[in-house]
């Protein structure tokens, strides 16, 4: 694979919206999930010079970050993103339904167009004073839980699904007990931010809550940024495979003439250099050599999948995330 590097250092928007300054073939916008800001700054810093070395063309990649469901809606409403790097399949499928992404998008890149993966994990304060070890600790009356709103955040939807998968096994599929379990976790959340980075701010800077649930990559980033002595990552006994799907936004890229650059940008995520940057930022990767290099960073964990537990993303969308479905019933008017 050609060694395409990642985009330049331009960060067009950090709050979920961005505009493309000029319609040129040497500039694209990556619409991504809320907590991926630092990751794609690093990716872009590697991609731009590598692409210029390979092609002789100097390019710019702008960034837009927010909850992926909100990002997908923004694209449908006019945000001119050339590529998306999301954290849940359903939001790209929404763009397929709206005519922005090709139906066969998952065959465009390896691993079902998911260059890396993670899982919902816990981060607690130093010493783990509440001794939080697993999902069943989150329903205790003395534990305050922080994670974003599952109606706006793909990060939080993975948390919801991972907790549901744990409860389905713990209660032998008894839906009433599973519902009570999830409702109690919701009741223990003092504030629901719209995205993962907002939840991190609530936990780290506002000092609310005893445990933050977020992607494993974010827990490692928090510890690095705010001090390994102040926080501890806790990997539960079981979690949910969280794939990070990517796609070219065909309707935008074709109109702007950025298809080749957009494909090169996403392809770079699969290169050895791209995989190493992803792993350095706490993500689990598919490249065997890079994964072995970072194996000490990622403890073993039992991962279940959306397909095995819930019947796939289409069924999840219908049974859990559509209006009036299971999530709405349990989440209520919070």
């Amino acid at each position: 694979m050609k060694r395409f590097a990642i985009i330049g250092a331009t960060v067009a928007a950090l709050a979920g919206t961005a505009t493309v300054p000029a319609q040129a073939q040497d500039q694209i916008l990556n619409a991504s999930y809320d907590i991926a800001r630092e990751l794609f700054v690093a990716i872009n810093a590697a991609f731009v010079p590598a692409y210029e070395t390979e092609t002789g063309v100097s390019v710019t990649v702008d960034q837009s970050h927010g909850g992926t469901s909100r990002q997908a809606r923004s694209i449908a409403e006019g945000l001119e993103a050339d590529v998306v790097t999301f954290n849940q399949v359903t939001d790209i499928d929404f763009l397929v339904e709206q005519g922005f992404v090709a139906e066969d998008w998952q065959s465009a890149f390896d691993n079902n167009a998911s260059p890396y993966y993670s899982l919902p994990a816990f981060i607690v304060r130093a010493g783990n004073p509440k001794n939080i070890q697993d999902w069943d600790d989150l329903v205790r009356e003395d534990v305050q839980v922080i994670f974003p709103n599952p109606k706006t955040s793909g990060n939080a939807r993975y948390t919801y699904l991972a907790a549901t998968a744990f409860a389905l096994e713990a209660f032998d599929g008894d839906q009433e007990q599973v519902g009570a379990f999830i409702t109690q976790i919701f009741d223990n959340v003092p504030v629901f931010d719209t995205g993962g980075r907002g939840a991190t701010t609530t936990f780290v800077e506002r000092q609310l809550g005893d445990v933050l649930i977020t992607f494993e990559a974010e827990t490692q980033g928090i510890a690095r940024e705010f001090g390994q002595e102040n926080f501890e990552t806790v990997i539960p006994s079981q979690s949910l495979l969280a794939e990070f799907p990517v796609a070219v936004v065909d309707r935008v890229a074709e109109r702007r003439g950025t298809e080749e650059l957009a494909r090169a940008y996403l392809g770079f995520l699969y290169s050895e250099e791209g995989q190493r940057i992803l792993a350095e930022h706490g993500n689990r990767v598919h490249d065997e050599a890079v994964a072995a290099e970072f194996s000490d960073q990622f403890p073993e964990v039992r991962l279940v999948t959306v397909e095995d537990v819930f019947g796939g993303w289409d069924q999840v969308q219908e049974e859990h995330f559509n209006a009036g479905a299971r999530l709405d019933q349990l989440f209520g008017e919070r």
Side-chain angles (χ1 to χ4, degrees):
M1 176 177 289
K2 292 184 178 180
R3 181 182 166 272
F4 288 119
I6 272 187
I7 256 168
T10 304
V11 179
L14 297 183
T17 58
T19 58
V20 179
Q23 292 189 5
Q25 295 182 11
D26 60 357
Q27 185 167 8
I28 60 173
L29 172 64
N30 172 21
S32 192
Y33 55 99
D34 193 42
I35 63 174
R37 293 174 173 87
E38 295 80 7
L39 168 63
F40 282 103
V41 166
I43 289 287
N44 296 350
F47 173 74
V48 168
Y51 188 84
E52 185 170 8
T53 297
E54 184 72 37
T55 67
V57 178
S58 178
V59 298
T60 301
V61 180
D62 297 324
Q63 297 176 215
S64 171
H65 295 278
T68 57
S69 295
R70 177 173 291 182
Q71 291 283 69
R73 290 194 299 271
S74 294
I75 292 169
E77 293 168 359
L79 178 66
E80 293 198 314
D82 303 85
V83 299
V84 292
T85 54
F86 280 176
N87 58 22
Q88 61 176 350
V89 169
T90 53
D91 289 325
I92 299 184
D93 285 341
F94 169 80
L95 292 175
V96 173
E97 294 170 1
Q98 299 299 310
F100 284 84
V101 172
E103 291 185 2
D104 62 349
W105 65 272
Q106 285 188 299
S107 65
F109 298 96
D110 291 341
N111 305 116
N112 290 322
S114 176
Y116 57 104
Y117 65 101
S118 192
L119 55 107
F122 307 160
I123 188 164
V124 298
R125 306 194 188 280
N128 195 1
K130 295 291 181 73
N131 191 29
I132 297 166
Q133 301 294 337
D134 216 336
W135 296 99
D136 51 359
D137 290 314
L138 306 184
V139 300
R140 288 165 30 195
E141 292 183 357
D142 66 326
V143 171
Q144 277 198 331
V145 184
I146 302 296
F147 61 90
N149 189 327
K151 292 188 176 182
T152 58
S153 166
N155 184 327
R157 289 188 173 193
Y158 274 111
T159 292
Y160 163 78
L161 291 173
T164 299
F166 175 88
L168 283 167
E169 186 169 307
F171 299 117
D172 294 323
D174 187 310
Q175 290 293 340
E176 184 173 346
Q177 293 187 75
V178 171
F181 183 86
I182 299 302
T183 298
Q184 185 58 56
I185 293 178
F186 286 154
D187 288 344
N188 284 352
V189 179
V191 57
F192 285 99
D193 296 284
T194 58
R197 185 49 54 85
T200 295
T201 298
T202 293
F203 182 73
V204 174
E205 298 183 12
R206 296 177 61 194
Q207 293 287 303
L208 288 180
D210 302 298
V211 54
L212 170 69
I213 313 174
T214 186
F215 293 125
E216 180 184 37
E218 178 79 344
T219 70
Q220 295 187 13
I222 291 169
R224 285 194 303 269
E225 181 176 355
F226 295 98
Q228 301 281 353
E229 71 280 5
N230 296 319
F231 300 98
E232 298 178 14
T233 295
V234 175
I235 303 298
S237 63
Q238 170 187 304
S239 195
L240 187 77
L241 173 67
E243 295 180 301
F244 290 77
V246 302
V248 175
V249 184
D250 300 280
R251 180 186 290 185
V252 174
E254 290 172 3
R255 179 176 54 76
R256 300 187 60 242
T258 57
E259 306 104 301
E260 182 179 348
L261 175 57
R263 286 193 296 270
Y265 181 70
L266 297 183
F268 176 75
L269 299 175
Y270 289 87
S271 70
E272 183 177 342
E273 184 177 7
Q275 292 276 285
R276 182 167 288 106
I277 294 170
L278 290 165
E280 287 171 348
H281 284 76
N283 298 287
R284 301 188 182 219
V285 297
H286 299 287
D287 184 287
E288 293 182 1
V290 176
E293 180 182 341
F294 289 87
S295 59
D296 291 346
Q297 185 174 313
F298 301 107
E300 291 188 9
V301 58
R302 179 185 171 218
L303 290 179
V304 298
T305 68
V306 166
E307 289 74 20
D308 289 343
V309 178
F310 301 101
W313 282 106
D314 288 343
Q315 191 167 335
V316 162
Q317 184 66 41
E318 180 180 352
E319 295 183 359
H320 291 268
F321 297 149
N322 280 346
R326 184 77 165 166
L327 177 60
D328 274 359
Q329 295 166 17
L330 298 177
F331 195 73
E333 299 296 327
R334 298 174 193 274

mmCIF file of all heavy atoms in Angstrom, residues 105-128:
data_model
loop_
_atom_site.group_PDB
_atom_site.id
_atom_site.type_symbol
_atom_site.label_atom_id
_atom_site.label_comp_id
_atom_site.label_asym_id
_atom_site.label_seq_id
_atom_site.Cartn_x
_atom_site.Cartn_y
_atom_site.Cartn_z
ATOM 1 N N TRP A 105 -20.099 0.722 0.896
ATOM 2 C CA TRP A 105 -18.979 1.419 1.525
ATOM 3 C C TRP A 105 -18.098 0.507 2.364
ATOM 4 O O TRP A 105 -16.885 0.709 2.464
ATOM 5 C CB TRP A 105 -19.501 2.577 2.388
ATOM 6 C CG TRP A 105 -20.337 2.168 3.578
ATOM 7 C CD1 TRP A 105 -21.684 1.965 3.590
ATOM 8 C CD2 TRP A 105 -19.869 1.925 4.911
ATOM 9 N NE1 TRP A 105 -22.098 1.603 4.855
ATOM 10 C CE2 TRP A 105 -20.999 1.580 5.686
ATOM 11 C CE3 TRP A 105 -18.624 1.984 5.535
ATOM 12 C CZ2 TRP A 105 -20.916 1.282 7.046
ATOM 13 C CZ3 TRP A 105 -18.528 1.685 6.886
ATOM 14 C CH2 TRP A 105 -19.663 1.338 7.630
ATOM 15 N N GLN A 106 -18.669 -0.553 2.950
ATOM 16 C CA GLN A 106 -17.871 -1.414 3.813
ATOM 17 C C GLN A 106 -16.903 -2.304 3.034
ATOM 18 O O GLN A 106 -15.990 -2.885 3.619
ATOM 19 C CB GLN A 106 -18.764 -2.267 4.707
ATOM 20 C CG GLN A 106 -19.381 -1.477 5.862
ATOM 21 C CD GLN A 106 -20.098 -2.357 6.855
ATOM 22 O OE1 GLN A 106 -21.055 -3.041 6.509
ATOM 23 N NE2 GLN A 106 -19.655 -2.335 8.103
ATOM 24 N N SER A 107 -17.101 -2.399 1.727
ATOM 25 C CA SER A 107 -16.177 -3.182 0.905
ATOM 26 C C SER A 107 -15.065 -2.320 0.307
ATOM 27 O O SER A 107 -14.171 -2.839 -0.366
ATOM 28 C CB SER A 107 -16.937 -3.885 -0.222
ATOM 29 O OG SER A 107 -17.492 -2.936 -1.126
ATOM 30 N N ALA A 108 -15.093 -1.025 0.565
ATOM 31 C CA ALA A 108 -14.098 -0.126 -0.022
ATOM 32 C C ALA A 108 -12.736 -0.237 0.652
ATOM 33 O O ALA A 108 -11.708 0.066 0.044
ATOM 34 C CB ALA A 108 -14.594 1.315 0.038
ATOM 35 N N PHE A 109 -12.724 -0.668 1.923
ATOM 36 C CA PHE A 109 -11.486 -0.802 2.680
ATOM 37 C C PHE A 109 -11.543 -2.097 3.485
ATOM 38 O O PHE A 109 -12.609 -2.673 3.686
ATOM 39 C CB PHE A 109 -11.286 0.399 3.614
ATOM 40 C CG PHE A 109 -11.168 1.717 2.905
ATOM 41 C CD1 PHE A 109 -12.282 2.534 2.749
ATOM 42 C CD2 PHE A 109 -9.954 2.138 2.388
ATOM 43 C CE1 PHE A 109 -12.186 3.745 2.091
ATOM 44 C CE2 PHE A 109 -9.845 3.352 1.725
ATOM 45 C CZ PHE A 109 -10.963 4.152 1.567
ATOM 46 N N ASP A 110 -10.389 -2.530 3.958
ATOM 47 C CA ASP A 110 -10.305 -3.785 4.702
ATOM 48 C C ASP A 110 -11.049 -3.729 6.031
ATOM 49 O O ASP A 110 -11.371 -2.652 6.546
ATOM 50 C CB ASP A 110 -8.841 -4.138 4.975
ATOM 51 C CG ASP A 110 -8.084 -4.513 3.708
ATOM 52 O OD1 ASP A 110 -8.750 -4.842 2.702
ATOM 53 O OD2 ASP A 110 -6.838 -4.460 3.729
ATOM 54 N N ASN A 111 -11.277 -4.927 6.597
ATOM 55 C CA ASN A 111 -11.919 -5.067 7.912
ATOM 56 C C ASN A 111 -13.260 -4.348 7.971
ATOM 57 O O ASN A 111 -13.563 -3.643 8.939
ATOM 58 C CB ASN A 111 -11.002 -4.558 9.029
ATOM 59 C CG ASN A 111 -9.644 -5.240 9.024
ATOM 60 O OD1 ASN A 111 -8.610 -4.594 8.801
ATOM 61 N ND2 ASN A 111 -9.632 -6.543 9.245
ATOM 62 N N ASN A 112 -14.050 -4.531 6.907
ATOM 63 C CA ASN A 112 -15.353 -3.864 6.821
ATOM 64 C C ASN A 112 -15.232 -2.360 6.992
ATOM 65 O O ASN A 112 -16.075 -1.716 7.624
ATOM 66 C CB ASN A 112 -16.327 -4.445 7.860
ATOM 67 C CG ASN A 112 -16.749 -5.856 7.522
ATOM 68 O OD1 ASN A 112 -16.944 -6.189 6.358
ATOM 69 N ND2 ASN A 112 -16.873 -6.698 8.531
ATOM 70 N N ALA A 113 -14.170 -1.796 6.403
ATOM 71 C CA ALA A 113 -13.915 -0.352 6.448
ATOM 72 C C ALA A 113 -13.732 0.150 7.872
ATOM 73 O O ALA A 113 -14.093 1.273 8.200
ATOM 74 C CB ALA A 113 -15.016 0.428 5.725
ATOM 75 N N SER A 114 -13.137 -0.688 8.719
ATOM 76 C CA SER A 114 -12.833 -0.298 10.103
ATOM 77 C C SER A 114 -11.340 -0.504 10.332
ATOM 78 O O SER A 114 -10.901 -1.615 10.628
ATOM 79 C CB SER A 114 -13.648 -1.131 11.096
ATOM 80 O OG SER A 114 -13.286 -0.809 12.434
ATOM 81 N N PRO A 115 -10.534 0.551 10.213
ATOM 82 C CA PRO A 115 -9.085 0.391 10.322
ATOM 83 C C PRO A 115 -8.571 0.137 11.730
ATOM 84 O O PRO A 115 -7.423 -0.268 11.911
ATOM 85 C CB PRO A 115 -8.543 1.714 9.775
ATOM 86 C CG PRO A 115 -9.653 2.692 9.958
ATOM 87 C CD PRO A 115 -10.916 1.905 9.796
ATOM 88 N N TYR A 116 -9.385 0.374 12.743
ATOM 89 C CA TYR A 116 -8.969 0.132 14.122
ATOM 90 C C TYR A 116 -10.203 -0.111 14.975
ATOM 91 O O TYR A 116 -11.341 0.030 14.508
ATOM 92 C CB TYR A 116 -8.146 1.306 14.672
ATOM 93 C CG TYR A 116 -8.830 2.659 14.636
ATOM 94 C CD1 TYR A 116 -9.347 3.243 15.788
ATOM 95 C CD2 TYR A 116 -8.930 3.391 13.447
ATOM 96 C CE1 TYR A 116 -9.940 4.490 15.770
ATOM 97 C CE2 TYR A 116 -9.531 4.636 13.408
ATOM 98 C CZ TYR A 116 -10.031 5.188 14.574
ATOM 99 O OH TYR A 116 -10.628 6.429 14.549
ATOM 100 N N TYR A 117 -9.996 -0.503 16.222
ATOM 101 C CA TYR A 117 -11.132 -0.806 17.084
ATOM 102 C C TYR A 117 -10.777 -0.510 18.528
ATOM 103 O O TYR A 117 -9.610 -0.280 18.876
ATOM 104 C CB TYR A 117 -11.588 -2.256 16.903
ATOM 105 C CG TYR A 117 -10.590 -3.308 17.338
ATOM 106 C CD1 TYR A 117 -10.718 -3.960 18.562
ATOM 107 C CD2 TYR A 117 -9.529 -3.688 16.505
ATOM 108 C CE1 TYR A 117 -9.808 -4.940 18.955
ATOM 109 C CE2 TYR A 117 -8.631 -4.660 16.887
ATOM 110 C CZ TYR A 117 -8.766 -5.282 18.112
ATOM 111 O OH TYR A 117 -7.869 -6.251 18.495
ATOM 112 N N SER A 118 -11.801 -0.504 19.364
ATOM 113 C CA SER A 118 -11.607 -0.260 20.783
ATOM 114 C C SER A 118 -12.728 -0.963 21.538
ATOM 115 O O SER A 118 -13.353 -1.902 21.025
ATOM 116 C CB SER A 118 -11.576 1.249 21.085
ATOM 117 O OG SER A 118 -11.126 1.503 22.394
ATOM 118 N N LEU A 119 -13.008 -0.498 22.740
ATOM 119 C CA LEU A 119 -14.054 -1.091 23.571
ATOM 120 C C LEU A 119 -14.409 -0.120 24.682
ATOM 121 O O LEU A 119 -13.581 0.699 25.083
ATOM 122 C CB LEU A 119 -13.559 -2.411 24.168
ATOM 123 C CG LEU A 119 -12.250 -2.332 24.960
ATOM 124 C CD1 LEU A 119 -12.481 -2.470 26.459
ATOM 125 C CD2 LEU A 119 -11.287 -3.406 24.482
ATOM 126 N N PRO A 120 -15.632 -0.156 25.185
ATOM 127 C CA PRO A 120 -15.973 0.657 26.348
ATOM 128 C C PRO A 120 -15.192 0.170 27.565
ATOM 129 O O PRO A 120 -15.169 -1.019 27.878
ATOM 130 C CB PRO A 120 -17.478 0.430 26.525
ATOM 131 C CG PRO A 120 -17.956 0.013 25.169
ATOM 132 C CD PRO A 120 -16.825 -0.813 24.609
ATOM 133 N N ALA A 121 -14.526 1.114 28.232
ATOM 134 C CA ALA A 121 -13.734 0.811 29.419
ATOM 135 C C ALA A 121 -14.036 1.856 30.486
ATOM 136 O O ALA A 121 -14.719 2.851 30.220
ATOM 137 C CB ALA A 121 -12.244 0.783 29.076
ATOM 138 N N PHE A 122 -13.525 1.637 31.679
ATOM 139 C CA PHE A 122 -13.761 2.542 32.797
ATOM 140 C C PHE A 122 -12.464 3.290 33.129
ATOM 141 O O PHE A 122 -11.375 2.728 33.024
ATOM 142 C CB PHE A 122 -14.186 1.790 34.058
ATOM 143 C CG PHE A 122 -15.352 0.859 33.899
ATOM 144 C CD1 PHE A 122 -15.563 -0.163 34.820
ATOM 145 C CD2 PHE A 122 -16.256 0.970 32.846
ATOM 146 C CE1 PHE A 122 -16.631 -1.036 34.702
ATOM 147 C CE2 PHE A 122 -17.330 0.112 32.718
ATOM 148 C CZ PHE A 122 -17.517 -0.902 33.654
ATOM 149 N N ILE A 123 -12.602 4.535 33.557
ATOM 150 C CA ILE A 123 -11.488 5.216 34.193
ATOM 151 C C ILE A 123 -11.977 5.768 35.521
ATOM 152 O O ILE A 123 -13.063 6.353 35.611
ATOM 153 C CB ILE A 123 -10.871 6.319 33.302
ATOM 154 C CG1 ILE A 123 -9.598 6.856 33.949
ATOM 155 C CG2 ILE A 123 -11.855 7.416 32.972
ATOM 156 C CD1 ILE A 123 -8.706 7.643 33.005
ATOM 157 N N VAL A 124 -11.202 5.490 36.558
ATOM 158 C CA VAL A 124 -11.577 5.879 37.925
ATOM 159 C C VAL A 124 -10.472 6.754 38.502
ATOM 160 O O VAL A 124 -9.386 6.874 37.940
ATOM 161 C CB VAL A 124 -11.798 4.634 38.810
ATOM 162 C CG1 VAL A 124 -12.943 3.785 38.261
ATOM 163 C CG2 VAL A 124 -10.519 3.801 38.925
ATOM 164 N N ARG A 125 -10.756 7.317 39.650
ATOM 165 C CA ARG A 125 -9.767 8.179 40.283
ATOM 166 C C ARG A 125 -8.704 7.335 40.989
ATOM 167 O O ARG A 125 -8.907 6.143 41.235
ATOM 168 C CB ARG A 125 -10.465 9.143 41.239
ATOM 169 C CG ARG A 125 -11.583 9.917 40.521
ATOM 170 C CD ARG A 125 -12.107 11.115 41.268
ATOM 171 N NE ARG A 125 -13.295 11.638 40.567
ATOM 172 C CZ ARG A 125 -13.247 12.411 39.494
ATOM 173 N NH1 ARG A 125 -12.080 12.768 38.991
ATOM 174 N NH2 ARG A 125 -14.359 12.840 38.917
ATOM 175 N N ALA A 126 -7.581 7.945 41.268
ATOM 176 C CA ALA A 126 -6.429 7.226 41.814
ATOM 177 C C ALA A 126 -6.820 6.389 43.021
ATOM 178 O O ALA A 126 -7.541 6.851 43.914
ATOM 179 C CB ALA A 126 -5.337 8.216 42.198
ATOM 180 N N GLY A 127 -6.351 5.143 43.017
ATOM 181 C CA GLY A 127 -6.652 4.241 44.122
ATOM 182 C C GLY A 127 -7.985 3.550 44.007
ATOM 183 O O GLY A 127 -8.313 2.696 44.833
ATOM 184 N N ASN A 128 -8.795 3.958 43.006
ATOM 185 C CA ASN A 128 -10.123 3.365 42.796
ATOM 186 C C ASN A 128 -10.884 3.286 44.122
ATOM 187 O O ASN A 128 -11.232 2.199 44.602
ATOM 188 C CB ASN A 128 -9.989 1.965 42.177
ATOM 189 C CG ASN A 128 -11.293 1.454 41.596
ATOM 190 O OD1 ASN A 128 -12.319 2.129 41.626
ATOM 191 N ND2 ASN A 128 -11.267 0.233 41.075
#
